[in-house]
């Protein structure tokens, strides 16, 4: 499938990130494009946040940013809290890789509380899993020779997850649905995004809730898939999220609209160019070719506009998390979404035939 090229290529080098302070020094000095003609995007720089280098590597490899009339600076972050802070303060304009849980979790803890017209950021695009029944990227794995074949076998066992992440939410749902207390019904094992890749092989845990990009080593070592988020009843999707400050800037708003159109093309490219996409994954995440193939299989998705199903799914997750005690406050999921780019996403996805291309890749 041929991807269109519309303007002259301007993609900058990866932005430097200070993990603790999240200071992107260029942010304060960037010119405000809203002072000029919003149709002239040549002075606009979109600061694009990502949870790993995968997004940058694959998007750049796809070529969909070729000829973009604005600059894109990528910045990588190690946790959702840092991404949220950067969005709220305007240090980031746009983020990929945030699940609806991460969006809701940060918003529910915001001070002052969010209200209509006063939010830190909004979901502006939804990445629908291409085949969640067979390729759900969120999974529960048991260690080789652990004797754990189902969630029923996990009571009292050492169960690893990253606290505060969607992995904790999935774990809490799995445990409470069995009628056990969370976390008392299991022996919780605190992991981080580095240690989770080695948790089962190093005997840190009997089972763990993880994401596919961290599961390769465990699966190669004989770990077994016990359940997935969807089989447990946690329906997750990734999002494209924009800061409220960027959305209030007419030129950045126009740039984001154009970027979302290109991203509809990107999702079609990612699914239809497995060799190139997997090479980008190897480069971006430093994975083996086998692990990159696994990541590609699970990361295919369809870009959708904001829709009522996504909002309702998010509200269900908020309600569950509040009931588990993972959120101190509840929040109206409607506040988290902005559908202003519906037309642009729909037209671009139709032009790229994104849904058909993605589904044909399975």
């Amino acid at each position: 499938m041929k991807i269109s090229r519309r303007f002259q290529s301007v993609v900058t080098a990866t932005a430097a990130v200070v993990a603790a302070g999240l200071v992107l020094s260029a942010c304060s000095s960037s010119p405000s494009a809203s002072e000029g003609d919003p149709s002239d995007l040549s002075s606009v720089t979109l600061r694009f946040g990502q949870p790993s280098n995968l997004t940058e590597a694959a998007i750049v490899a796809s070529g969909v940013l070729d000829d973009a009339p604005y600059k894109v600076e990528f910045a990588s972050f190690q946790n959702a809290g840092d991404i949220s802070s950067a969005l709220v303060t305007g240090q980031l304009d746009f983020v990929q890789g945030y699940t609806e849980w991460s969006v809701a979790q940060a918003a529910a803890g915001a001070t002052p509380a969010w209200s209509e017209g006063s939010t830190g950021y909004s979901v502006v695009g939804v990445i629908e899993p291409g085949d969640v029944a067979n390729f759900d990227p969120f999974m529960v794995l048991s260690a080789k020779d652990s004797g754990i074949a189902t969630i029923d076998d996990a009571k009292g066992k050492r169960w690893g997850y990253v606290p505060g992440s969607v992995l904790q939410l999935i774990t809490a749902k799995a445990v409470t649905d069995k009628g056990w207390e969370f976390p008392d019904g299991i022996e919780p094992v605190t992991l981080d995004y580095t240690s989770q890749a080695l948790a089962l092989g190093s005997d840190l845990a009997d089972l763990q809730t993880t994401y596919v990009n961290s599961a390769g080593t465990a699966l190669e070592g004989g770990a077994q898939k016990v359940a997935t988020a969807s089989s447990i009843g946690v329906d997750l999707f990734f999002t494209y999220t924009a800061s409220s400050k960027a959305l209030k800037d007419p030129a950045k708003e126009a740039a984001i609209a154009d970027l979302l159109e290109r991203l509809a093309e990107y999702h079609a490219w990612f699914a239809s160019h497995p060799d190139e996409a997997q090479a980008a994954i190897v480069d971006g995440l430093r994975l083996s070719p086998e692990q990159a193939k696994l990541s590609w299989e699970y990361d295919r998705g369809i870009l959708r506009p904001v829709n009522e199903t996504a909002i309702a799914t998010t509200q269900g997750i908020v309600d569950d998390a509040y009931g588990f005690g993972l959120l101190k406050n509840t929040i109206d999921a409607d506040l988290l979404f902005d559908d202003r780019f519906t037309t642009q996403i729909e037209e671009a996805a139709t032009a790229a035939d994104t849904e058909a291309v993605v589904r044909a890749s399975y």
Side-chain angles (χ1 to χ4, degrees):
M1 174 178 173
K2 185 176 180 179
I3 303 297
S4 66
R5 307 285 184 262
R6 291 170 289 190
F7 305 95
Q8 183 174 351
S9 174
V10 195
V11 181
T12 67
T14 305
V17 177
V18 179
L22 247 67
V23 177
L24 301 179
S25 59
C27 295
S28 60
S29 60
S30 297
S32 173
S34 61
E35 296 174 0
D37 181 0
S39 65
D40 177 12
L41 305 183
S42 60
S43 65
V44 172
T45 296
L46 287 182
R47 295 155 296 190
F48 192 135
Q50 55 184 346
S52 72
N53 293 333
L54 168 60
T55 300
E56 177 184 5
I59 290 177
V60 171
S62 75
V64 299
L65 288 181
D66 289 359
D67 306 328
Y70 43 84
K71 297 179 182 177
V72 176
E73 290 182 349
F74 288 93
S76 299
F77 296 80
Q78 293 302 310
N79 62 71
D82 286 349
I83 291 177
S84 175
S85 297
L87 279 170
V88 170
T89 59
Q91 293 175 324
L92 286 177
D93 302 308
F94 192 82
V95 166
Q96 187 273 341
Y98 230 13
T99 65
E100 79 270 36
W101 158 248
S102 297
V103 175
Q105 181 187 37
T111 303
W114 287 10
S115 59
E116 187 71 35
S118 179
T119 62
Y121 47 81
S122 298
V123 173
V124 293
V126 172
I127 306 172
E128 178 185 299
D131 182 4
V132 72
N134 296 302
F135 293 94
D136 188 335
F138 296 95
M139 57 190 71
V140 178
L141 303 179
S142 63
K144 181 181 179 181
D145 300 327
S146 66
I148 300 173
T150 69
I151 299 296
D152 290 324
D153 303 322
K155 187 172 185 179
K157 299 295 185 180
R158 298 174 301 161
W159 193 327
Y161 55 83
V162 179
S165 73
V166 69
L167 307 177
Q168 183 179 20
L169 172 67
I170 296 167
T171 306
K173 175 71 170 172
V175 170
T176 56
D177 276 0
K178 292 300 177 184
W180 312 332
E181 293 292 325
F182 180 81
D184 296 341
I186 58 173
E187 183 180 333
V189 176
T190 298
L191 304 174
D192 58 29
Y193 288 109
T194 300
S195 63
Q196 69 167 337
L198 304 173
L200 298 185
S202 56
D203 197 34
L204 290 176
D206 301 308
L207 71 166
Q208 69 175 125
T209 308
T210 189
Y211 182 70
V212 64
N213 287 340
S214 299
T217 300
L219 290 170
E220 289 173 358
Q224 301 297 313
K225 187 187 296 186
V226 173
T228 63
S230 56
S231 71
I232 290 168
V234 180
D235 295 320
L236 295 167
F237 54 84
F238 288 104
T239 69
Y240 288 112
T241 305
S243 76
S244 296
K245 289 186 178 181
L247 293 173
K248 290 176 182 178
D249 182 316
K252 285 194 173 182
E253 179 189 30
I256 290 170
D258 178 84
L259 178 58
L260 285 165
E261 292 175 1
R262 295 169 185 271
L263 289 170
E265 297 176 350
Y266 161 71
H267 284 281
W269 175 89
F270 187 86
S272 60
H273 292 74
D275 292 342
E276 296 95 327
Q278 289 169 44
I281 295 170
V282 169
D283 179 59
L285 293 182
R286 300 294 187 263
L287 297 179
S288 69
E290 294 76 18
Q291 292 169 337
K293 182 177 186 293
L294 184 69
S295 178
W296 174 83
E297 288 175 340
Y298 282 82
D299 281 342
R300 289 168 288 176
I302 302 163
L303 177 57
R304 303 283 195 195
V306 167
N307 55 79
E308 291 301 323
T309 298
I311 295 172
T313 298
T314 304
Q315 190 65 62
I317 284 178
V318 168
D319 295 343
D320 278 346
Y322 183 68
F324 300 150
L326 302 183
L327 294 178
K328 293 183 178 179
N329 304 299
T330 188
I331 191 169
D332 183 351
D334 280 321
L335 294 175
L336 309 177
F337 292 83
D338 188 322
D339 66 358
R340 72 179 70 188
F341 301 114
T342 295
T343 299
Q344 290 93 332
I345 293 173
E346 287 180 340
E347 291 181 351
T350 297
D353 205 14
T354 305
E355 180 172 0
V357 170
V358 172
R359 297 207 186 283
S361 70
Y362 290 95

